[in-house]
Amino acid sequence: MKKLFTTVVLILLFAFPLGSSQKSLHNETKIWTYRSFESVMENRKKQLTCLAKNIYFEARNEPFAGQFAVALVTLNRVNDAAFPDTICKVVYQGIHTTDGFPKRDRCQFSWYCDGASDEVRNPKAFDKTQKIANLAMLQYGKIKSEGLDYTEGARYYHTYEISPRWSRTFPKVGRIGDHIFYR
């Protein structure tokens, strides 16, 4: 068990940044422990679930390219200073009432505040979206660095069935499946 833990920690040392290059206020060194490993993995699982839900509710009936494009848009937003800095904050971004509930039709992603249940009802489709979300999270940096983002950095999209006002203000990238993407 100790060898397994050591191996996982060594692998993660190359996958996750361990700290900031800036000095901390208390001038302490961050020590990598099993508890910090658990915390990182728990947060990653939470972010993965948020991304998978976004793909599931926005594009579960789309082919792989359409689902992966939704994942890329979400991650493009996370990496854009104009949007929140975590997947969950991006997915659940919108206007909320004082009691914390999202205002109807006032969210970045329509499924979150459309008034319908956000319960996953198709486990097979959700399993697929979790795999796509995991792939997107693992490969996003490489995709961007090698110029393979086929959404061309898109941060917005809508279904072809509607024409929102905002769509005239952003450069159109193109259509993938049922969605039209914009930078």
Side-chain angles (χ1 to χ4, degrees):
M1 184 68 175
K2 193 182 260 186
K3 286 183 181 180
L4 175 63
F5 174 73
T6 305
T7 304
V8 169
V9 168
L10 288 173
I11 290 169
L12 291 173
L13 284 173
F14 296 104
F16 297 107
L18 291 179
S20 171
S21 60
Q22 300 173 350
K23 293 182 180 179
S24 69
L25 295 175
H26 303 291
N27 209 12
E28 297 173 4
T29 304
K30 179 145 175 119
I31 298 173
W32 189 250
T33 64
Y34 184 74
R35 225 179 254 288
S36 58
F37 167 75
E38 279 183 323
S39 176
V40 166
M41 294 311 290
E42 188 176 306
N43 183 52
R44 187 187 187 289
K45 185 177 180 181
K46 178 182 172 188
Q47 301 303 316
L48 177 73
T49 300
C50 289
L51 184 57
K53 278 188 163 187
N54 202 40
I55 297 166
Y56 175 84
F57 288 112
E58 291 284 319
R60 77 176 159 270
N61 295 325
E62 293 282 320
F64 173 83
Q67 291 184 13
F68 200 75
V70 168
L72 288 174
V73 166
T74 308
L75 294 172
N76 286 340
R77 286 184 178 199
V78 171
N79 289 284
D80 186 317
F83 293 94
D85 61 354
T86 70
I87 294 169
C88 291
K89 287 178 183 176
V90 164
V91 169
Y92 296 117
Q93 183 180 14
I95 299 172
H96 292 75
T97 62
T98 54
D99 54 359
F101 291 101
K103 286 192 174 183
R104 187 167 176 111
D105 301 325
R106 300 299 305 257
C107 299
Q108 294 292 312
F109 297 103
S110 61
W111 68 268
Y112 177 56
C113 59
D114 61 3
S117 171
D118 295 340
E119 180 183 335
V120 172
R121 296 177 192 259
N122 185 337
K124 187 176 177 182
F126 188 65
D127 183 56
K128 181 180 175 187
T129 62
Q130 285 180 308
K131 290 174 182 172
I132 292 169
N134 191 43
L135 177 64
M137 287 173 67
L138 289 172
Q139 296 301 318
Y140 180 77
K142 188 171 185 173
I143 288 168
K144 293 303 277 187
S145 69
E146 294 183 10
L148 300 174
D149 178 0
Y150 59 93
T151 69
E152 299 177 20
R155 293 166 298 157
Y156 307 94
Y157 63 85
H158 63 82
T159 179
Y160 72 92
E161 298 168 327
I162 63 171
S163 183
R165 271 183 279 136
W166 60 259
S167 67
R168 293 183 285 281
T169 62
F170 298 107
K172 185 177 182 179
V173 173
R175 181 173 166 178
I176 302 169
D178 289 342
H179 293 101
I180 300 171
F181 292 82
Y182 302 83
R183 265 184 287 194

